[in-house]
Amino acid sequence: MDKVLGPLPARGRAREDLSPARRTTLDALLELGGRRTVAELAQALGQHPNTVREHLDALVRAGLTERTLRHSAGRGRPAALYRATLAATPAGPEYAVLAEVLISALARAVPDRDARAAQALEAGRDWGRAIRKRELIDRPRLALTSLGGAPVDGAAPAEAARLTAPEDPAALRDSVTRLGELLDRAGFDCRTTAEPGGGYTQRLRRCPVLDLAREHPDIVCTSHLGMARELLAHDGVAPERVTLEAFAEPGACLLRIAPPAVDDE
């Protein structure tokens, strides 16, 4: 099976109550995506089809997967198809449905793709501001010493802002780290890599709304970019330094934070 570009689906909290074997089966179904036969799951897991079918039927009873039949014009019993339900998403089925409704409504209301993307970017910025307002991301350190990192108590706000400006490599590292931790908690399975020259790449290896992102990347992915830009801009990172390459490679989207230009220093 060819590898598909982009991240994997995020793992829902409901999976934590499952046995290890059924959790593995659900994860495999999420990662393959779409509707899958028992044979496809068995091949992916390296297990006997009867064992996989037993786990899938238990997941159906738990409301984490749904079972349908493949329509066939030929003879014989149609194959059963299994797909993970919205209950398997991290935010739960209610929020997943709400996201789908809102995104679909925006797509209908704003036919022009560029206009939709602009609105999604601004919505992402609002999202980032709401995260800061509710203190869902760690506050920046008040100040940094010249030796790279210990907080300095009692610094005046203006001085603190100057000392924590991301042109300081340690402050930029801390800003990117805070963003990565937030994305990780949100279900993106974020892994951050420092790049030569002072920039960073954050690999988003899972996506909480992967199906919606594939259908409406101009809305979903752009809103994620707006959120990241807003959170980093609060620490002094210019928005144009933050870019998102959606579905960039097998297993990940790439959020890139460029180093400051030489003439900015």
Side-chain angles (χ1 to χ4, degrees), residues 56-161:
L56 286 169
D57 288 342
L59 292 170
V60 170
R61 292 192 295 273
L64 297 174
T65 65
E66 62 180 9
R67 181 178 181 271
T68 58
L69 297 179
R70 174 181 286 166
H71 296 290
S72 175
R75 291 185 173 183
R77 197 163 79 179
L81 299 173
Y82 294 84
R83 182 176 69 173
T85 67
L86 291 173
T89 64
E94 297 84 3
Y95 288 104
V97 170
L98 177 61
E100 183 174 7
V101 169
L102 292 176
I103 290 168
S104 298
L106 178 58
R108 291 194 303 270
V110 186
D112 182 74
R113 185 181 180 89
D114 291 339
R116 280 202 307 267
Q119 291 201 19
L121 189 66
E122 187 58 33
R125 293 183 59 197
D126 289 341
W127 182 11
R129 285 190 284 268
I131 288 171
R132 288 204 321 270
K133 182 178 179 180
R134 290 163 177 76
E135 297 185 5
L136 299 179
I137 189 170
D138 292 339
R139 291 181 175 182
R141 299 175 179 181
L142 285 179
L144 300 175
T145 67
S146 59
L147 295 179
V152 177
D153 296 329
E159 180 68 4

Side-chain angles (χ1 to χ4, degrees), residues 163-185:
L163 289 172
T164 56
E167 280 65 21
D168 177 347
L172 178 58
R173 179 198 63 218
D174 288 349
S175 298
V176 172
T177 298
R178 283 192 294 272
L179 176 61
E181 290 172 348
L182 172 77
L183 292 170
D184 207 36
R185 293 197 303 271

Side-chain angles (χ1 to χ4, degrees), residues 10 20 22 24-25 33 35 48 61 75 97 108 115 143 149 161 163 184 194 201 208 210 215 229-230 237 240:
R22 288 174 184 169
T24 299
T25 303
R35 298 182 184 274
H48 194 279
R61 292 192 295 273
R75 291 185 173 183
V97 170
R108 291 194 303 270
L163 289 172
D184 207 36
T201 296
L210 181 58
E215 186 175 357
R229 283 182 170 179
E230 178 64 27
V237 179
E240 61 269 15

